[in-house]
Amino acid sequence: MKEIKPIKIVLTTTVHATEDKLKVLKALLNVVPPSIRENSTIREVHVEGHYGNPIILLNVSIEGYGAEETFKYIIKGLSGTDRKILSATLDMRVDESNRLHIRISKQQAYLGNILIYDGDDVVKIVVHFMLPRLPKYSIISELKKLIKANNVD
């Protein structure tokens, strides 16, 4: 079977009015390998919250080889337990376009840790893959192999 590989990763998080933008930016960039951080372009969008509060959306898009390296960095940064959780929940994390959605704790990312977290205060990661035309269950099977291949425990 043809190998699947990440071709693009988009990381997004929010900066609320009560947060320090530089700390949130640090959390976002901590999810990217150090060698790729310096060349990353941060996109910033200012929006208004439901109650009129200012919110800043921070977004980093990484493509090509940088996407592959970032995916490996994220997977290797997960604990063994989180890799198992990710593998076990792939059917809920892979959408109809076969993109993988991962949410990690923004607080833990700030501290340099990558921790699966499905709460509200997160860095959202969307991984786009170069994929052969396969049914979703085959994609999930290949993703499990890719996650296991990047296991460091």
Side-chain angles (χ1 to χ4, degrees):
M1 177 176 290
K2 187 176 177 184
E3 181 182 332
I4 64 172
K5 67 179 188 175
I7 57 170
K8 181 179 178 183
I9 294 184
V10 179
L11 300 103
T12 307
T13 195
T14 56
V15 183
H16 295 279
T18 56
E19 294 178 303
D20 180 333
K21 184 172 102 175
L22 292 178
K23 288 182 177 180
V24 175
L25 183 58
K26 179 182 176 185
L28 182 66
L29 290 175
N30 278 348
V31 183
V32 177
S35 60
I36 296 172
R37 284 178 202 160
E38 59 197 42
N39 297 322
S40 298
T41 302
I42 310 297
R43 188 169 158 248
E44 193 174 302
V45 178
H46 294 259
V47 297
E48 192 173 287
H50 182 70
Y51 297 104
N53 51 311
I55 298 173
I56 302 169
L57 302 175
L58 298 177
N59 177 293
V60 177
S61 183
I62 302 165
E63 298 187 28
Y65 178 75
E68 289 182 61
E69 290 305 302
T70 301
F71 182 73
K72 289 177 187 176
Y73 185 80
I74 291 166
I75 298 302
K76 288 180 179 179
L78 292 171
S79 69
T81 301
D82 271 355
R83 277 193 296 279
K84 287 177 186 173
I85 290 169
L86 180 60
S87 286
T89 59
L90 282 172
D91 60 326
M92 296 182 291
R93 297 178 187 278
V94 175
D95 68 16
E96 64 282 346
S97 297
N98 291 324
R99 293 176 297 211
L100 173 62
H101 297 261
I102 306 171
R103 294 164 61 96
I104 63 167
S105 167
K106 183 168 54 172
Q107 298 295 321
Q108 287 298 312
Y110 174 75
L111 298 172
N113 304 314
I114 300 176
L115 176 76
I116 298 280
Y117 182 69
D118 288 323
D120 291 333
D121 199 21
V122 297
V123 174
K124 296 176 187 174
I125 303 166
V126 180
V127 186
H128 302 249
F129 293 94
M130 181 183 300
L131 298 168
R133 294 242 182 243
L134 294 172
K136 185 175 177 177
Y137 68 86
S138 294
I139 300 297
I140 289 170
S141 175
E142 290 302 306
L143 282 173
K144 285 181 181 182
K145 291 177 191 173
L146 196 55
I147 291 167
K148 189 171 185 172
N150 286 289
N151 194 347
V152 292
D153 284 344

